[in-house]
């Protein structure tokens, strides 16, 4: 008789002899559920693959402090006289020189940063100086300090602590500030298109998009969870007191439009709960975790259905599988280390090493370094594991900003990771269009400058032409002045070469006469 197929009478007899109830035996058999992610384990990389000697920001703000994509890792750092963050190519590991250039355009501490999902060279930053800035990082990283943003977005009256790019629309950014306002920006035009300022009555703790960007989910200090229509700025549904405690609540959309929240009980025990927005009355599940005081930051992977909970100040990462069967949120395991985390970056799926069965990679911020932590599913085969890597969200947007603000939604464009992610198209070009007038005047000034360069060999008249342009057109002056300096340097070199040739010719003629 095969083990596990004993007849019920045999099990009953065994239970009577040992004094155990039959129900307990049956329940014990159901404790272990079948899942391909049961044995997922986390492992830090070797010491030489960490980023060392980085002064991570000491700000007491509950954001990730780190953003990462397949090209760069960015971390908010301590800076005197304003706010700054550092952007490193992923390959630049080891000890980081303190003199390495930073992005340092904010006048107050930086509170949140996030890379654009459609262009790996574009990153947004929000600061205590009430502004949002968009930066373009050159391939290979910075070679000099970057203080002039591509676009500066002013609209908040208090510090900006939450940023989130739209998952499918190109150049749409959401920002939330301590003025209880959410602004949706058309970044290419540098303008605020939607301003949601009458919904939240207190500080906004978290704000995120759903999978196709047709809804926004927010949690607020007024103890309410809200699902919003982003273009209308109206509340679709809301839940009062998802967690009884007074400490911050975090919320994210998970599979099938459900909502996962992390918060605290009245006794300050940390909790995780799953909600169905169609029936907000009672949670599908609510589980108590521990009594730590750190806010749990949730990271959800829609491809595997795994949610990772990283607590600020914790030294561990818990992970759960979200399914359709009760109790819906199933505990898998926990990665633990000795040092606590000050922040956490989460790599997009297209940046993982699929040949090593890597399903997630975190960038854990310590006080003086950044340590990548790899989550792996142990498999014996070296072949591509299709069940671990379904088609995932790629970098290509499915709708333009103007179309999205007009009411058009776009589903994510999926890519296959079978051969590892390879960019078949160039990064979606980032164009700033302030207005039609500015574009026209800029083009005309280009033509004026080009004609000036052609007509005048001496760079001085070109400089005069540039100085005569309008204030708007002077934005392009540094570009042409830089080339004028190059022309002057080349002319000087030619003059020196000409003098040298004359001297040599004279010397040769003298030698021939002898």
């Amino acid at each position: 008789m095969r083990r596990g197929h004993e007849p019920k009478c045999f099990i009953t007899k065994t239970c009577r002899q040992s004094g155990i109830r039959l129900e307990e035996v049956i329940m014990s058999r159901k404790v272990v559920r079948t899942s391909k992610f049961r044995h997922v384990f986390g492992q830090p990389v070797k010491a030489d693959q960490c980023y060392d000697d980085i002064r991570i920001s000491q700000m007491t703000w509950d954001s990730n402090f780190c953003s990462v994509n397949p090209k760069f890792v960015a971390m908010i750092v301590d800076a005197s006289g304003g706010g700054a963050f550092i952007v490193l190519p992923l390959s630049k590991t080891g000890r980081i020189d303190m003199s390495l250039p930073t992005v340092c355009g904010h006048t107050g501490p930086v509170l949140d940063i996030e890379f654009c999902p459609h262009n790996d060279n574009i990153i947004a930053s929000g600061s205590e100086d009430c502004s949002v800035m968009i930066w373009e990082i050159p391939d290979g990283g910075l070679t000099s300090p970057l203080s002039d943003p591509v676009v500066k977005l002013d609209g908040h009256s208090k510090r900006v602590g939450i940023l989130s790019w739209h998952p499918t629309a190109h150049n749409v950014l959401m920002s939330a500030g301590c003025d209880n306002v959410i602004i949706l920006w058309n970044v290419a035009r540098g303008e605020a298109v939607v301003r949601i300022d009458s919904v939240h009555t207190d500080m906004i703790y978290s704000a995120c998009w759903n999978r196709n960007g047709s809804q926004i989910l927010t949690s607020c200090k007024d103890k309410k969870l809200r699902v919003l229509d982003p273009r209308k700025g109206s509340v679709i549904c809301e839940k009062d007191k998802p967690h009884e405690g007074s400490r911050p609540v975090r919320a994210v959309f998970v599979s099938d439009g459900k909502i996962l929240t992390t918060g605290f009980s009245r006794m300050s025990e940390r909790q995780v709960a799953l909600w169905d927005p169609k029936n907000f009355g009672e949670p599908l599940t609510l589980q108590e975790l521990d009594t730590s005081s750190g806010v749990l930051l949730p990271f959800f992977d829609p491809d595997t259905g795994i949610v990772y909970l990283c607590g600020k100040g914790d030294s561990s990462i818990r992970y759960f599988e979200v399914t359709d069967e009760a109790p819906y949120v199933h505990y898998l395991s926990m990665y633990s280390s000795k040092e606590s985390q000050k922040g956490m970056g989460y790599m997009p799926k297209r940046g993982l090493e699929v040949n090593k069965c890597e399903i997630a990679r975190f960038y854990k911020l310590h006080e003086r370094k950044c340590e990548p932590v790899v989550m792996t599913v142990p498999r014996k085969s070296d072949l591509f594991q299709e069940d671990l890597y379904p088609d995932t969200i790629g970098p290509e947007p499915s709708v333009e900003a103007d179309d999205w603000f007009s009411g058009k939604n776009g589903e994510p464009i999926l890519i296959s990771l079978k051969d590892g992610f390879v960019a078949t198209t160039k990064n979606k070009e980032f164009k700033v269009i302030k207005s039609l007038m500015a574009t026209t005047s800029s083009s005309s000034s280009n033509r004026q400058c080009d004609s000036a360069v052609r007509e005048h060999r001496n760079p001085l008249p070109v400089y005069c032409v540039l100085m005569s342009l309008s204030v708007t057109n002077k934005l392009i002056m540094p570009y042409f002045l830089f080339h004028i300096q190059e022309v002057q340097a080349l002319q000087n070199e030619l003059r020196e070469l000409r003098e040298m040739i004359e001297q040599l010719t004279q010397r040769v003629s003298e030698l021939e006469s002898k």
Side-chain angles (χ1 to χ4, degrees):
M1 186 182 298
R2 287 186 297 169
R3 187 175 178 84
H5 292 267
E6 301 90 343
K8 187 175 179 180
C9 59
F10 174 79
I11 298 175
T12 307
K13 184 179 179 181
T14 308
C15 292
R16 285 173 182 167
Q17 291 173 352
S18 57
I20 303 173
R21 289 188 305 162
L22 176 63
E23 292 81 8
E24 292 178 1
V25 175
I26 295 172
M27 285 299 293
S28 67
R29 289 178 166 224
K30 291 183 180 179
V31 166
V32 180
R33 51 181 290 276
T34 304
S35 172
K36 57 192 170 191
F37 302 112
R38 267 182 58 199
H39 303 291
V40 171
F41 67 95
Q43 190 172 19
V45 300
K46 294 178 181 178
D48 60 348
Q49 294 177 310
C50 295
Y51 307 86
D52 292 308
D53 209 15
I54 299 171
R55 296 175 299 164
I56 303 300
S57 174
Q58 300 294 319
M59 285 294 296
T60 54
W61 186 257
D62 290 327
S63 71
N64 299 344
F65 281 17
C66 179
S67 185
V68 63
N69 66 27
K71 276 188 181 179
F72 302 105
V73 56
M75 295 160 274
I76 301 175
V77 295
D78 267 338
S80 57
F85 60 95
I86 193 170
V87 182
L88 301 172
L90 289 185
S91 58
K92 193 176 179 61
T93 54
R95 185 180 178 277
I96 305 301
D97 195 337
M98 290 185 68
S99 62
L100 197 77
T102 59
V103 182
C104 52
H106 286 285
T107 56
V110 177
L111 300 179
D112 197 16
I113 52 177
E114 183 166 343
F115 277 108
C116 176
H118 308 127
N119 188 329
D120 289 341
N121 296 75
I122 299 296
I123 186 170
S125 60
S127 167
E128 269 199 359
D129 64 10
C130 310
S131 70
V132 177
M133 294 186 182
I134 312 298
W135 311 86
E136 185 166 14
I137 309 298
D139 287 333
L142 299 176
T143 55
S144 60
L146 187 59
S147 58
D148 295 322
V150 179
V151 184
K152 184 179 180 183
L153 306 172
D154 291 314
H156 288 281
S157 59
K158 291 186 179 179
R159 59 185 177 179
V160 182
I162 300 171
L163 296 174
S164 182
W165 290 94
H166 194 285
T168 61
H170 189 216
N171 289 337
V172 176
L173 177 69
M174 170 173 62
S175 65
C178 291
D179 50 4
N180 312 335
V181 175
I182 289 178
I183 298 178
L184 304 184
W185 305 89
N186 184 334
V187 174
R189 298 186 181 277
E191 57 190 30
V193 182
V194 178
R195 184 181 178 89
I196 306 172
D197 54 7
S198 59
V199 172
H200 302 91
T201 59
D202 212 328
M203 183 191 295
I204 300 166
Y205 284 143
S206 70
C208 69
W209 303 92
N210 65 347
R211 185 173 171 85
N212 68 353
S214 61
Q215 294 179 352
I216 291 174
L217 172 64
T218 66
S219 61
C220 182
K221 195 176 181 180
D222 63 8
K223 295 189 177 182
K224 286 189 178 180
L225 197 65
R226 296 178 176 90
V227 178
L228 309 177
D229 183 317
R231 283 163 288 218
K232 295 178 181 177
S234 57
V235 178
I236 299 172
C237 57
E238 64 181 17
K239 169 63 181 173
D240 194 26
K241 291 186 178 180
H243 298 272
E244 294 291 335
S246 57
R247 291 187 54 76
V249 171
R250 289 299 184 105
V252 292
F253 280 108
V254 293
S255 303
D256 301 323
K258 294 183 176 65
I259 294 170
L260 184 133
T261 61
T262 62
F264 295 80
S265 68
R266 284 181 181 173
M267 305 301 292
S268 294
E269 295 171 313
R270 291 199 294 195
Q271 299 175 325
V272 58
L274 188 69
W275 306 84
D276 186 351
K278 299 172 185 175
N279 182 15
F280 251 149
E282 292 294 327
L284 296 173
T285 182
L286 192 149
Q287 303 174 23
E288 292 183 349
L289 303 176
D290 56 25
T291 54
S292 180
S293 60
V295 176
L296 286 169
L297 308 177
F299 297 91
F300 179 67
D301 179 4
D303 299 333
T304 59
I306 296 178
V307 62
Y308 302 87
L309 304 183
C310 311
K312 293 204 78 170
D314 289 5
S315 56
S316 61
I317 302 173
R318 290 182 176 85
Y319 35 105
F320 300 77
E321 187 176 2
V322 181
T323 67
D324 293 330
E325 59 185 61
Y328 304 105
V329 179
H330 308 273
Y331 175 77
L332 290 173
S333 188
M334 178 170 63
Y335 163 78
S336 297
S337 60
K338 293 180 181 179
E339 295 189 52
S340 61
Q341 53 225 19
K342 294 179 67 65
M344 194 71 74
Y346 180 65
M347 173 68 80
K349 214 57 175 292
R350 57 193 173 90
L352 303 181
E353 295 187 44
V354 295
N355 58 330
K356 295 181 180 179
C357 294
E358 181 182 349
I359 62 167
R361 191 191 310 157
F362 292 92
Y363 285 74
K364 176 181 173 181
L365 301 186
H366 300 247
E367 197 166 338
R368 297 282 297 186
K369 76 171 182 179
C370 174
E371 176 188 46
V373 177
V374 176
M375 298 290 177
T376 306
V377 178
R379 292 283 173 94
K380 293 180 180 179
S381 174
D382 294 333
L383 299 175
F384 177 72
Q385 307 294 318
E386 293 188 7
D387 60 325
L388 298 183
Y389 301 105
D391 288 354
T392 190
I393 297 175
E396 193 69 25
S398 57
V399 61
E400 289 298 322
D402 292 334
D403 296 332
W404 184 82
F405 281 115
S406 300
K408 181 182 178 182
N409 288 323
E411 292 300 319
I413 297 176
L414 304 181
I415 58 171
S416 172
L417 298 177
K418 188 165 186 177
D419 300 316
F421 172 69
V422 179
T424 54
T425 57
K426 195 177 178 182
N427 272 341
K428 192 71 177 176
E429 190 176 357
F430 185 80
K431 293 181 180 179
V432 179
I433 311 168
K434 289 292 183 184
S435 67
L436 187 61
M437 185 65 72
T439 306
T440 308
S441 60
S442 176
S443 302
S444 63
S445 62
N446 283 343
R447 288 193 292 272
Q448 291 179 44
C449 295
D450 287 343
S451 61
V453 171
R454 284 194 300 271
E455 291 174 8
H456 301 281
R457 293 184 180 179
N458 187 351
L460 183 60
V462 180
Y463 180 78
C464 296
V465 170
L466 286 170
M467 289 301 291
S468 68
L469 295 175
S470 65
V471 176
T472 305
N473 296 335
K474 284 182 184 177
L475 292 172
I476 60 172
M477 279 179 58
Y479 174 82
F480 285 97
L481 291 176
F482 173 74
H483 287 284
I484 288 169
Q485 291 170 358
E486 284 190 329
V487 171
Q488 287 176 329
L490 286 170
Q491 286 179 341
N492 292 335
E493 286 183 21
L494 285 170
R495 198 177 299 112
E496 290 172 2
L497 285 170
R498 200 175 290 116
E499 291 174 358
M500 192 184 300
I501 291 170
E502 289 175 359
Q503 290 174 2
L504 287 170
T505 305
Q506 188 177 353
R507 178 64 177 159
V508 168
S509 60
E510 288 176 359
L511 288 171
E512 285 177 346
S513 63
K514 291 179 180 180

